[in-house]
Amino acid sequence: MDMKLKLPYETEVSCSKCNLLKKCMPTGLNHNELTRIDSLVSQRIRVKRGNDLFRFNNGSQALYIIRTGYFKTVISTNDGRDQVLGFHMSGDSIGLAGELSDLYSCRVTALEDSTVCIVPFSNVEQIANSINGLHSHIRHLYSIEINRENSVMLFLGSMNSEERVATFLLKLSSTQEEHGFSPHNLNLKMSRYDIASYLGLKHETVSRTLAKFIKSKLINLNLRELKIINRVALTSLSIDKHH
Amino acid sequence: MDMKLKLPYETEVSCSKCNLLKKCMPTGLNHNELTRIDSLVSQRIRVKRGNDLFRFNNGSQALYIIRTGYFKTVISTNDGRDQVLGFHMSGDSIGLAGELSDLYSCRVTALEDSTVCIVPFSNVEQIANSINGLHSHIRHLYSIEINRENSVMLFLGSMNSEERVATFLLKLSSTQEEHGFSPHNLNLKMSRYDIASYLGLKHETVSRTLAKFIKSKLINLNLRELKIINRVALTSLSIDKHH
DNA sequence: CGCACGGTTGACCTGTATCAAGCCGGGTGG
DNA sequence: CCACCCGGCTTGATACAGGTCAACCGTGCG
């Protein structure tokens, strides 16, 4: 199950040369600090599609930063219920929850072949004081995560199925755009089941809602290739009636 | 609206003499460190029931630690929809989300007269390096919050109304117990509307579900005085079938 | 004292779940 | 290379949980 493959892999790069650096570390580091950054990362691993990026239940206490690929995080109860908590792509940090409650188990599954940098908090602790803004950067990562979860709670708690799906698609689209991809053509990495779980719906409802969007010419959809063709209408369906 | 009342108030105490210290700061501080802790708190304020503990949208960047009282956090969209994100009592930290997204506005409302200590992160930044474990303690606070939100997403995403209400009551009960109160007699500080919003239900549904619980002798209820009389049955209704 | 708001309960309606059947595409083994 | 199968997905028919609308009551605040 735990199919972390050790290096080497072709994309092995130091942090200081990584093009994700500005997303994953504080900005404005001087040369001195930059050279220290590399020592934060204890490991760079590959995770193959369908496999879990495991977090040992206690004490792991590391930040997992996605270099390439796509993940979902899933919480499950001991009576077997699952809930997808989120999707994550390159530049995102996961593992912030740290020590987990004993009530639930949480796993992080690769939805495509991925590479991940592991930053143990103990390393952060050791050198953070000598790197300007690293602590507040970590805090920033946390607050991003909390804000993300807040908006998930919002749609889980108060939106109907159309609003949920529309919001989901728009969010996906803007994330794509931030990563330099087209905001109109989405390549869904997750199954309808994953989407359904994430949105608190059943997969049939997701299918039907997407079908409705197709019929009313808001989107085109072929398998997992989705094209947004009427963003305005989609936005007016979603909860955030802005831009 | 922003009814923070300045000191003095009778419960004015230094951190080092505060009985919440072990909950709100790292444990095992030496005397030297203890004396520094007080300088973390920039202000201790009162918030009267019904008033908001405001957070200025950007840059506030402070930790609000509840000394006494009870709060709810609410997110609202610009189209007027509200979602209660959580309830908080003494010892809890709020404001971890820090800078908020521009999409939603978030407020923290006192459900009873309360007192709050304000710890600006800038103060933390200044002295954290000289206090052992403060940084990791702050991280711990974040991870508590994230875990809390995860479990909210779980019931918002996958539970029916009975499970939601049962889980809610049991969670309330165990929180009470942790604070040294009876786990059987709950004094609900929040309205049915608040509960409903939190649980992603309508207030009528909350009422009816509670009525069902009363009829089947799981609880007694009079206004906001709630007594758990069949905890086992309640637990078997809730999602976590453990202890 | 009275009013407004929180809460309960009933009757009815609807959105989403549930159950079921069938399709398609990709991966596997013969 | 083809056939098969399985899992992901769609679509339809039906059921029901929870939402909606409405009336009413109690209580606590002004």
Side-chain angles (χ1 to χ4, degrees), chain A residues 191-192 203 207-208 224:
Chain A
S191 71
R192 303 288 191 271
H203 74 277
S207 252
R208 279 187 244 273
R224 297 192 177 181

Side-chain angles (χ1 to χ4, degrees), chain B residues 163-208:
Chain B
E163 293 169 328
R164 291 179 201 213
V165 176
T167 304
F168 172 71
L169 295 180
L170 289 171
K171 177 65 187 156
L172 224 49
S173 162
S174 73
T175 307
Q176 289 281 96
E177 191 168 25
E178 280 166 27
H179 281 76
F181 301 111
S182 160
H184 308 300
N185 296 72
L186 309 180
N187 182 349
L188 307 178
K189 314 289 189 189
M190 69 295 281
S191 70
R192 304 288 191 271
Y193 291 84
D194 289 332
I195 299 174
S197 168
Y198 180 61
L199 297 177
L201 301 170
K202 296 294 162 184
H203 74 277
E204 297 97 326
T205 305
V206 171
S207 254
R208 277 187 247 274

Side-chain angles (χ1 to χ4, degrees), chain A residues 12-60:
Chain A
E12 167 72 21
V13 289
S14 67
C15 290
S16 42
K17 300 212 178 67
C18 176
N19 54 11
L20 286 173
L21 180 65
K22 60 194 156 313
K23 181 155 193 207
C24 123
M25 291 295 159
T27 53
L29 297 177
N30 62 36
H31 185 266
N32 206 342
E33 290 164 336
L34 267 178
T35 58
R36 258 188 275 254
I37 286 288
D38 278 309
S39 66
L40 282 172
V41 178
S42 72
Q43 249 188 320
R44 298 170 218 267
I45 62 170
R46 281 176 169 229
V47 186
K48 286 194 78 76
R49 173 178 167 193
N51 289 318
D52 287 355
L53 170 65
F54 256 122
R55 193 181 333 157
F56 344 128
N57 250 9
N58 259 311
S60 128

Side-chain angles (χ1 to χ4, degrees), chain A residues 178-210:
Chain A
E178 280 166 25
H179 281 76
F181 299 112
S182 159
H184 305 110
N185 296 74
L186 309 180
N187 182 348
L188 307 177
K189 313 290 190 188
M190 70 294 283
S191 71
R192 303 288 191 271
Y193 291 84
D194 289 333
I195 299 174
S197 168
Y198 179 61
L199 297 178
L201 301 170
K202 297 294 163 186
H203 74 277
E204 295 98 326
T205 305
V206 172
S207 252
R208 279 187 244 273
T209 308
L210 289 171

